């Protein structure tokens, strides 16, 4: 009898979960050994991280504020992946959504109960419009969306920085390089995070349900796995591509609206904190699954918050980034190994 490893296209859910948990534990063990070598106490640091993160409402609030935009930017990338596209422009669409929502809040009068939904719609439209040119270029000229969406990130960042320091600069002079405080805030949810968090979860579940249980979602999945077969079967591949990418941009734009209306309350340069780029890692951790984005965003949020806590304990930024990179690196390896199975074969009889 001979034994060999064989890779399968998909990993069993139980194997994928076990591999991911084992990878995270192994990464933490390696990080602990490295920290012990520097003279730090890994167990003490872990205890402080757990206490600061889960032992108080402030810790849970910090994690929730990180997880909310990560869910949506991760979902934005994951949605585009379902049709075989890579939306690397979540950062730009995030800024575009925040820009559009801020414009509505600052220049259109009205009560918050009316303006917040209007800001939500404006954020979605802003994100969708920002991905429109890359979408049409991909659909009609087969231009690689990786390049076009990435380059537009820098345009959106500079646009927001310009309006926040120029035309929309706080006229009261109460803050530098930002707009005035928005007159409308997203209400708190359970006194811990704002309502953007449960809405982000609901949006994710709805998108996952549409992709899994509707004809449109079925055709999107087929088009993503085999575009030629989809075209041969008469499915409108180009129309599906356009709709999916616009949906992807709209979701990232909603993330920007939640951030400016629920967390920062002012439009300013750097408002994203790289959430658009981190969303790519969330989608990779979720392996393109819409529901998997929730777990991936939670893991990423805890990692980022733990990094902030570790910095308050005297660790430098490089060490924190190295630990974060180890966790993501081992997780990626675990996800890949979950696809392999041990195959036993009997030798051929003479």
């Amino acid at each position: 009898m001979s034994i060999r490893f064989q890779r399968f296209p998909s990993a069993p859910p139980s194997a994928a979960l076990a591999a991911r948990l084992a990878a995270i534990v192994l990464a933490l063990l390696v990080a602990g050994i490295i920290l012990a070598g520097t003279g730090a106490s890994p167990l003490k640091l872990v205890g402080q991280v757990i206490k600061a993160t889960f032992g108080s409402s402030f810790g849970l609030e910090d994690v929730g504020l990180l997880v909310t935009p990560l869910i949506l930017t991760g979902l934005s990338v994951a949605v585009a992946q379902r049709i075989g596209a890579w939306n690397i422009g979540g950062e730009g669409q995030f800024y575009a959504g925040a820009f559009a929502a801020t414009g509505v809040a600052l220049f259109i009068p009205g009560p918050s109960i009316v303006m917040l939904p209007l800001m939500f719609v404006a954020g979605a439209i802003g994100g969708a419009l920002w991905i429109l040119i890359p979408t049409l270029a991909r659909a009609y000229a087969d231009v690689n969306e990786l390049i076009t969406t990435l380059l537009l990130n820098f345009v959106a960042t500079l646009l927001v920085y310009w309006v926040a320091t120029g035309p929309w600069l706080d006229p009261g002079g109460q803050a530098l390089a930002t707009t005035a405080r928005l007159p409308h805030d997203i209400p708190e949810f359970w006194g811990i995070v704002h309502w953007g968090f449960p809405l982000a979860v609901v949006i994710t579940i709805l998108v996952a349900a549409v992709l899994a249980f509707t004809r449109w979602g079925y055709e999107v999945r087929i088009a993503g796995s085999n575009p030629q077969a989809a075209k041969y079967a008469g499915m409108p591949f180009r129309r599906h591509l356009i709709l999916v990418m616009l949906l992807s941009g709209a979701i990232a734009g909603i993330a920007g609206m939640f951030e400016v209306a629920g967390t920062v309350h002012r439009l300013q340069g750097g408002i994203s904190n790289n959430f658009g780029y981190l969303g790519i890692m969330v989608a990779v951790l979720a392996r393109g699954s819409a529901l998997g984005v929730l777990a991936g965003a939670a893991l990423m949020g805890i990692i980022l918050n733990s990094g902030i806590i570790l910095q308050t304990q005297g660790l430098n930024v490089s060490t924190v980034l190295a630990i974060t990179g180890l966790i993501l690196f081992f997780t990626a390896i675990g996800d890949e190994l979950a696809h392999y199975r041990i195959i036993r074969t009997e030798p051929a009889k003479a």
Side-chain angles (χ1 to χ4, degrees):
M1 182 178 66
S2 61
I3 297 176
R4 61 185 177 88
F5 289 94
Q6 182 174 341
R7 190 184 190 281
F8 288 80
S10 61
S14 57
L17 178 61
R20 179 159 295 184
L21 292 176
I24 293 173
V25 171
L26 183 59
L28 292 176
L29 288 175
V30 173
I33 293 173
I34 295 174
L35 289 174
T38 64
S41 173
L43 294 179
K44 181 179 179 181
L45 289 175
V46 169
Q48 290 172 336
V49 166
I50 294 175
K51 181 179 178 180
T53 303
F54 302 105
S56 67
S57 60
F58 295 104
L60 293 175
E61 179 181 1
D62 289 340
V63 174
L65 292 177
L66 290 170
V67 170
T68 301
L70 289 173
I71 289 175
L72 293 173
T73 55
L75 179 64
S76 173
V77 178
V79 165
Q81 283 183 313
R82 298 308 292 267
I83 202 165
W86 274 94
N87 177 16
I88 307 299
E91 186 83 352
Q93 295 139 30
F94 184 102
Y95 274 102
F99 169 80
T102 299
V104 169
L106 292 179
F107 302 111
I108 299 179
S112 295
I113 193 171
V114 174
M115 296 309 299
L116 284 174
L118 190 59
M119 290 168 64
F120 179 93
V121 173
I125 293 175
L129 288 177
W130 204 254
I131 202 177
L132 180 61
I133 293 178
T135 297
L136 297 179
R138 164 67 190 277
Y140 291 98
D142 202 25
V143 177
N144 193 321
E145 74 281 357
L146 284 168
I147 299 173
T148 52
T149 55
L150 176 63
L151 292 178
L152 282 176
N153 288 341
F154 304 103
V155 179
T157 303
L158 293 173
L159 173 64
V160 167
Y161 180 80
W162 173 66
V163 298
T165 58
W168 293 3
L169 179 64
D170 183 5
Q174 298 178 4
L176 298 176
T178 73
T179 66
R181 196 184 196 283
L182 301 190
H184 312 289
D185 297 341
I186 299 177
E188 288 188 350
F189 176 73
W190 281 357
I192 298 177
V193 294
H194 57 73
W195 269 91
F197 174 74
L199 285 175
V201 175
V202 170
I203 290 171
T204 302
I205 294 173
L206 288 176
V207 170
V210 169
L211 290 173
F213 301 115
T214 67
R215 176 179 176 178
W216 180 79
Y218 170 76
E219 292 187 355
V220 166
R221 298 198 309 272
I222 296 298
S225 60
N226 195 330
Q228 296 304 320
K231 294 175 183 177
Y232 182 79
M235 297 179 184
F237 175 78
R238 180 177 292 167
R239 185 174 68 191
H240 288 336
L241 175 66
I242 292 173
L243 287 176
V244 168
M245 291 192 68
L246 291 179
L247 175 62
S248 175
I251 292 171
I254 292 171
M257 179 270 169
F258 284 166
E259 189 70 9
V260 75
T263 304
V264 182
H265 307 295
R266 298 173 184 267
L267 185 67
Q268 61 189 30
I271 189 175
S272 169
N273 288 321
N274 293 320
F275 288 129
Y277 296 113
L278 292 170
I280 300 171
M281 289 189 282
V282 170
V284 171
L285 289 172
R287 303 191 68 84
S289 166
L291 287 180
V293 163
L294 297 176
L299 174 62
M300 183 64 68
I302 292 172
I303 291 173
L304 293 175
N305 189 63
S306 299
I308 296 172
I309 296 170
L310 290 175
Q311 289 182 54
T312 65
Q313 301 301 316
L315 294 183
N316 57 43
V317 178
S318 298
T319 303
V320 172
L321 289 176
I323 295 173
T324 303
L326 274 175
I327 294 174
L328 296 176
F329 177 68
F330 277 97
T331 301
I333 293 176
D335 285 345
E336 179 62 23
L337 291 178
H339 286 263
Y340 287 85
R341 302 178 200 173
I342 298 176
I343 303 297
R344 297 179 176 85
T345 58
E346 298 291 340
K349 296 181 179 179

